[in-house]
Structures are given as C-alpha cells and as structure tokens.
Amino acid sequence: MPQYDKADIERRMNGAVESLKSDLSGLRTGRANTALLDPVMCEVYGAMMPLSQVATVSAPEPRMLSVQVWDKSNITPVEKGIAHANLGLNPIVDGQTLRLPMPDLTEDRRKELAKLAGQYAEKAKIAIRNVRRDAMESLKADEKKKEISEDERKRMEDEVQKLTDKHVASTDEAAAKKEQEILTQ
C-alpha cells in the first residue's frame, strides 16, 4: 500500500496557511479588530479561560474595542488578562463593560509588527516545506518497495512541488497584504 496521499499533503499545507492567517489576524493594525483579543486568557472560577468564554467582544468604533463581561465578578480578572496579554491596550472599566481605545501605532511599532508578520510567514513556509519533505520521502520509500515506478515517482514529486509552490505563494501573499496594512495605516 503506497504511503503517498495527495489529499493529506494538501490538507496539511492548507493547515499551515490557515494557521498563518489566524496568526496574522491577531496582529494589530491601526483599526480595532476583535481578533486582537482572541489569545487573551482570564483566570475566572479558578481556571484559565479564553476571553470569548466570559465576555462578548465588539468593535463599536474603528479605534475602540468593547468587552461586555457577562458576570460582574469577572471584571477584574478580565481586565488583568487583557493587561497580561501585552497588547499595549489600557482597559477603561465602565460598569460591566471594558472599553479599549486603540492607541496610535508609532513608526517603530509598525516596523516591528511588519517584521513579526514576516516571521509568521517564514514559520508557515517551513511547515509547508516539512510537509513536502515528508511527501518526497514517502514517494522514495514507495518506489523502493516497488509499489510505484520511477516515472510515477517523478510525476508525483512534480505534483508535490506544484502544491508547495502554490501554498508558499499564498503565504507570501497573505504576509505581504498584512505588512502593507500595518505600514499604511
């Protein structure tokens, strides 16, 4: 039974690209984006919980996030969780709502964020190349076991390379778009 599975390879490469897009959505541009608070964890009811499980996050204005805490007793832990996330946001408590004004990004901070977007893209490309390497190794193993011919192996290696090129290009595209968004706000 051949080890090579094109659908699995494509699924794993898509996973790397989707993971990159998720990471990039958390990078702050000049606009308020609710995804910015996705990584925030709060210590409530004696356990660490994602912010999304204890409050509703919205962006009522382009430069403001609003966090509506469901249980009054969780306001302080939510405020601490946001502060510990090192997002550069200072919550303003307003009853059961926390308002988070988006500070202007300095030029240095913009460059830092753009560089971080590039690093995220590089990690995704490494993941994609690792999937390619695994695929190439399984193709060579299949050929060695006489389950596929040399011509089939070469044809399939070309397929894998095309998939790799396609996914690396979409990684570059997503990172370039995010860098442009960060630098032009």
Side-chain angles (χ1 to χ4, degrees):
M1 179 71 203
Q3 296 174 344
Y4 174 76
D5 179 359
K6 183 180 175 185
D8 181 55
I9 290 164
E10 191 152 17
R11 181 190 56 75
R12 288 170 58 198
M13 287 183 179
N14 281 336
V17 173
E18 289 310 310
S19 173
L20 168 70
K21 287 180 179 172
S22 156
D23 287 347
L24 290 177
S25 74
L27 281 183
R28 194 162 76 76
T29 57
R31 292 187 301 274
N33 181 349
T34 57
L36 181 64
L37 298 178
D38 286 351
V40 174
M41 298 293 282
C42 310
E43 191 173 341
V44 291
Y45 311 120
M48 292 303 281
M49 295 177 87
L51 180 64
S52 60
Q53 291 184 6
V54 293
T56 304
V57 179
S58 61
E61 300 169 31
R63 310 218 11 104
M64 172 85 67
L65 283 175
S66 173
V67 180
Q68 180 71 43
V69 183
W70 300 328
D71 183 349
K72 232 179 206 159
S73 65
N74 292 336
I75 292 171
T76 306
V78 167
E79 188 179 6
K80 281 183 185 168
I82 292 168
H84 288 298
N86 291 328
L87 298 170
L89 300 174
N90 297 317
I92 300 165
V93 180
D94 183 12
Q96 255 180 273
T97 304
L98 290 146
R99 288 184 293 130
L100 304 164
M102 295 279 126
D104 286 330
L105 290 174
T106 63
E107 192 58 36
D108 287 347
R109 183 70 178 140
R110 285 178 195 281
K111 287 178 181 163
E112 236 176 78
L113 289 170
K115 194 192 270 184
L116 192 57
Q119 289 170 356
Y120 286 165
E122 196 49 45
K123 276 187 197 159
K125 286 189 219 174
I126 289 168
I128 290 167
R129 288 188 205 114
N130 286 341
V131 173
R132 178 187 65 191
R133 186 198 60 228
D134 293 347
M136 297 298 195
E137 285 172 2
S138 71
L139 284 171
K140 286 179 181 136
D142 288 348
E143 182 189 8
K144 209 175 219 164
K145 289 187 279 180
K146 305 268 188 253
E147 291 176 352
I148 60 173
S149 69
E150 184 180 350
D151 289 345
E152 283 179 295
R153 176 183 58 83
K154 286 181 177 173
R155 183 185 55 74
M156 290 176 182
E157 281 178 351
D158 284 346
E159 268 181 16
V160 170
Q161 189 57 50
K162 283 182 182 141
L163 278 175
T164 303
D165 294 344
K166 180 180 107 181
H167 287 86
V168 165
S170 64
T171 298
D172 287 338
E173 188 182 308
K177 185 178 168 200
K178 188 63 173 190
E179 286 174 18
Q180 188 65 32
E181 199 178 301
I182 291 168
L183 293 172
T184 58
Q185 284 302 311

